[in-house]
Amino acid sequence: MTEALTPRWQEADEAVHSLVAVLVAEAARTADRSARKRPRGRTRSKSTRRHIAEVVRAHKLAPGLRVDRNMVAALMLGHRDLISNPVLVVAVAQACGIITGRKLAPKRAARLRAASVRVGKLIARANAETIRVPAPRPAPVPPAPVPPAPSVPSVPSVEVAPALDVSPVPDAAVPVLGAASVPESAPVPHDTPVPEAVPVPMPVPVPVPGAAPVKVEARPSARRASRAAARVAARRRRRRRQRARRRWLLVVGALLVLVAAVLVGLAS
């Protein structure tokens, strides 16, 4: 969106330029005053904008505003938000008067305040009546054509054979084929192959809802088996040590008895 130049904006810009010219003239007098007071051989320690900002803060000329040199510089350049603030405009003019030694007259301060209020009204009116030209919209990009899907060769249908019925069959219904099932009166040729017995699948227990759970004994794992074997071996070693200790005690006791008998015989 771009703003078009309208008569309202022209009038507002002219009011801004006239008020900025007055403030710049006041600041120029401040610079001339500072240059005359500066002793020879020394450079100016602070700029005019910083000096004005310090005076505004020291005398509290703009209550509620934090005035610094950047704000003063923007005001001198005609910033719309700052130039339409009558408190800041009058404070800067008063600071310039304090620096130059000439107090700002109340009538002059009232004229500056009225000029700042008028600038604010003109800017607000121009903003309300601004003709905004919409930016050109980019041409719509047509969607890319969707590539056709690759043709998939048809697969001939294959008939699936029905699944075999593996339901459990009772033992009485399964005929036992073999030599005993053939009657004795019917001769069996030697070349006729004897059919083998068909294995009957065992019924698999199916969990029934509401019935007691079936306990399935789990086989001990290899780790449990190794632990059991280690415990058995430890018990055997413990028993062997106990037996050896008992034998040693018996031998020592027999020797002591023998020695005592010898000593008794010698003493007698």
Side-chain angles (χ1 to χ4, degrees), residues 5-30:
L5 186 60
T6 60
R8 294 292 186 184
W9 278 116
Q10 292 178 0
E11 185 179 0
D13 291 341
E14 291 176 0
V16 169
H17 293 333
S18 61
L19 185 55
V20 168
V22 174
L23 296 177
V24 170
E26 294 291 339
R29 293 176 185 176
T30 303

Side-chain angles (χ1 to χ4, degrees), residues 99-163:
I99 294 173
T100 56
R102 294 182 301 177
K103 187 177 180 181
L104 185 66
K107 291 183 179 181
R108 186 173 179 81
R111 285 197 298 268
L112 292 175
R113 187 178 294 105
S116 178
V117 172
R118 178 174 176 271
V119 167
K121 292 181 179 179
L122 292 175
I123 292 175
R125 190 180 303 173
N127 282 328
E129 298 181 2
T130 297
I131 301 176
R132 297 183 179 274
V133 180
R137 297 182 180 179
V141 180
V146 180
S151 59
V152 180
S154 59
V155 181
S157 59
V158 179
E159 296 182 358
V160 181

Side-chain angles (χ1 to χ4, degrees), residues 76-92:
M76 297 300 176
L77 293 176
H79 194 279
R80 293 176 181 174
D81 294 338
L82 299 178
I83 202 65
S84 59
N85 190 348
V87 177
L88 181 60
V89 172
V90 175
V92 171

Side-chain angles (χ1 to χ4, degrees), residues 243-257:
R243 292 174 183 175
R245 191 180 299 110
R246 290 174 184 174
R247 292 174 184 176
W248 173 254
L249 291 176
L250 290 175
V251 171
V252 171
L255 289 176
L256 290 176
V257 171

Side-chain angles (χ1 to χ4, degrees), residues 255-268:
L255 289 176
L256 290 176
V257 171
L258 181 61
V259 171
V262 171
L263 291 176
V264 170
L266 292 176
S268 61

